[in-house]
Every structure is written in structure tokens, then in C-alpha cells.
Amino acid sequence: MTADYAIVCEHVCKDFVLHHNAQHSLKARFIGLFHDRWRMTRQSFRAVDDVSFTVRRGASLGLMGRNGSGKSTLLSLIAGIYPATAGHIETRGRLVPMIALGVGFNPELSGSENIYLNASLFGFKNREIRALFPKILEFSELGDFIHEPVKNYSSGMYVRLGFSVAMHLEPEILLADEILSVGDAEFQKKCLAQIAKMREDGMTLLFVSHSEEQVVRFCDHYLYLENGRVIGEGSTDDLLTPSVVPRRAPG
Amino acid sequence: MLATATPVSNPIAVLRGWWEYRDLLYNLVSKDIKVRYQGAALGFAWSLMNPLVVTAMYLFIFTYVMPSNQPHFALYLVTGIVHWTLFSNLVTQAPELLTANAGLLQKIRFPRLLVPASNLLLNLVLWAMALVVFFSLFIPLGGHFKLVLLAYPAYLLLFIGFNFGLMLILSVLYVDFRDLKHLIEVVMQVLFWATPIIYDFKLIPAHLRLLFAASPLTEFTLIFQDLFWAGRLPSQHLTLAFIFWTLASLALGLTIFYRRSARLIERL
């Protein structure tokens, strides 16, 4: 892999097995040996189909497409959460997937305890988190609520905490899955500004969004997925010309 | 940090990878302890309740109802029950480990082995209290601190290794076979009575002994009884069987876990 690239995907495919008669028990499997009706029929579903692209270090790519087009699956594959069925994926640099905010938050624990738990899930040492803690707290604007159990938070506070942690993990590659549509307008603005700043500092961004406007604003390039296939790609400058991006499935 | 989507196969790199995550392990364990005993006035003393009550019950029965002629029967019984408790806690919690942590496993990439490892550590921390109680009762119950006890840590480590392998196997199998949990409940009942914890191994009819001895739990129990109750070094024969079971369980567990866990994540 050339050093210039932060993300390389080559002919990546992902099949999910759909369990139609899903039989999660030994009994059913046993009976299935003798009776057709109980037998499990496996059908697979190709969520990502032969996708290839590269993202240069410091560049940003917007992943667009309708619901179910494979964007999130692709992101999970790049994050290394699922193995790809075929193809090859390589990433270089500290990768922070923001696939959902506040993942791993335990409702019983306080905000500060959750900061430690969450950051350590991303590979941070407690010593490093202690150093980052004041910044995270300040960004989250949670004040004394940080010592309250997270179950007592409003949904906005929850999102703020999740975002503040993710923003301070010093990602070299940030995988962001439609996370900018949350929180109040004021906080959202602050997050966008923070992402823009990190981009200037050389962070690579892979950005999933429905919003063409946000993609144009944050990304140099876009990739348009439909049914797991790439059906459009190019520079985001082209997006300003309306006819380029297919907004509807052909036919 | 070089993050690739392909699994690392170099064992030293794997070990270093785990070491990098030691703070996470600590945080996961402390989370579990906080969540489990939050608002409970007696806190983790509750973890002692079960073994204490069970021991007291058997002691009562086998002292007053059906008196045992085993010398120092209480010590014999407690030795077995203390180790059985660890085994039973780990094995009954193991199946649901992966599914209970689906939310984490499907959103964040971290070494998946840390999920069972943190549960093992959690149970060991709680069990350490039982062990302290056991050691403080050791002399009153008629035990003697002999040199053979120095061998205990090594045997305990093997026992823990055996349990860990079993946990890995069960946690992976449970994803596909959800009735495993009920099966385990039944098997644990049978296994408890098939293990010479409350009776003497020699009371088993000679022609059935081989059957009982085939269970790894029997071997482990006999070893701990040798060390604590009889005050002698376990036979070479037993020790070898013990090492065999541990290696087999760990090898199978780690293989299954590494082969299958990546593909399991999407099905949790």
C-alpha cells in the first residue's frame, strides 16, 4: 500500500446470511435432519458488492446513498468489525469509528466513569484519558452532571457526552455514520467546527450522510451507493451540477 | 498504531495487543462490579452467600442426618465446594457473554477475547473473597499448613485455564444454539453429584470408578482434596491428566474463538 493512502478498499464484498427458518436451538436442528419443514433454509444477501475506492491521507470521502444501500455495512467493514466476504481492506492510522454515539455507555455509571470506559474501548490508557478529561468535560458542557449516572441524562446530554469523547480521541481516520444530525443546533455547529478543525490538522474523514449539503461542505470526493454497488463517484464539486448524482433507482 | 482489517497471526503481536488493552480490562471489570453491587448495602459480600449457605446445609445434613465417617469432613467438603463454586459461576455465565455484549462488539473494534477475559477476572476477584474465608477456616477445620500447599498456585492456575477454555467454547456455541443455557443447568446438576465433593471417591463401586474419573471435574477435585485435606502432593498420574485437560480446553477454546468469533459478531 502506498503511504499516501489512509484507506484502500479493493473489490470488497459482504454477504449476510439470512436465516429464514432461523432455528437457534439444538432441538430444531435435530428435527431438521428428518423433516423438511423444520430445515433451515439459508439465503444470502449481498450488502456490499464489489466496492473499490481509496482515500488519500488527509482527504475526505462522503458516502451517500439511500437507506439499505450498504453504507453502514461498508463502514463496519472498514472499522474491522465484520470480516469482508471477499476483497481487501487496509487502513493506516488511528481509526475511530463513530458508528453510533455513546456505544458502550453503561446507564448505571456516571458520565465520568463512562468517559473512561468508552475511551479505553478505543484503546486509550487511563493515564491518557485523565489528561484529556478536562477537555472532554468542557466540550460536553455537562458541568456537574458529569458525576450523575448516565441513565438520568436527557437524550441531548447523552449525545453530547458521546460526541465529546469521540472528538477527543485524536483520530487520524474518522469514520462518521450520520452522527451530525443529532443534538441541538448550537451543539451541532460546534461539532461541525471541531471536525473542520481536525480536517485542517490532517485528519482523514469518511463521512456517511444523507445530506448532500453536508457532504459538499466536508468532503472532497463522494461515492454514491445503491444496492451495495457504487453507482456514482467523483469530486464533490460535481455535486453542484444537479444531474450527476442519481437520486432515484434507475427503472 | 497500525490498524488493519486482517487478523494478526503472530502470537507475540497478539500478546502485546492484549497488554495494550490492560486498562480496558480493568475498566470493564470495575464497571461490572459497580453495576452488579450498586445500591446493595452488603456489596460484594453477597458473592459469599451462596457458597456459605450451600456448605452449611451439607454440613448440617452430613453431621446430623446422615453422619459421614470421613475424618475432618467439613474441610473435605469446603475444599470441594470452594472450587466447584468458581467452576459453576464461570460456566453458567459463559454462554451469554457474547450476546450480552452485542452492542459493544458490533460497534467498536477491540480484542474480542477481552469480553470473556474480563468476566473471568470479575469472577476471580469475587471468588478471592471466598478463598480468603476458606484459608481463614483452614486451621479451625483441622487443616495443616504444609509445604505441599506451595504447589497450590500452579494447580489453581491450571484450573483457571481449564475454565477459561470452557468459557470460550460455550460463549461461541451459544450464538448458534440458544438452548445451551438450559442444557448447562441440567449438566451442572449431574456433574455436581458425579464429582466426589460431598462423598468419598473410594465409596464409588470399583467398576464405576473409571467412569467417574473420566470427568475432569473429578480429577480437579481429587487434586485439591489431596493438597488441602490429605496434605499430600497429588499423584503424577492425576497431575498429568489435569495438565492434559487444561491444554485441551484452552487449545479448543482459543481455536474456536478465533476461528468463529469474527463471523459471529454479525449474528449476535
Side-chain angles (χ1 to χ4, degrees), chain A residues 14 24 26 80 91 108 126, chain B residues 3 23 27 38 109 178 266:
Chain A
K14 178 67 189 172
H24 284 297
L26 288 168
T91 59
E108 301 291 334
N126 285 347
Chain B
D23 281 359
N27 290 350
Q38 200 174 46
R109 179 185 164 83
R178 300 288 165 117
E266 61 205 55

Side-chain angles (χ1 to χ4, degrees), chain A residues 4-7 54-60 204:
Chain A
D4 301 14
Y5 291 111
I7 307 172
T54 54
V55 183
R56 285 181 171 277
R57 189 178 292 280
S60 61
T204 309

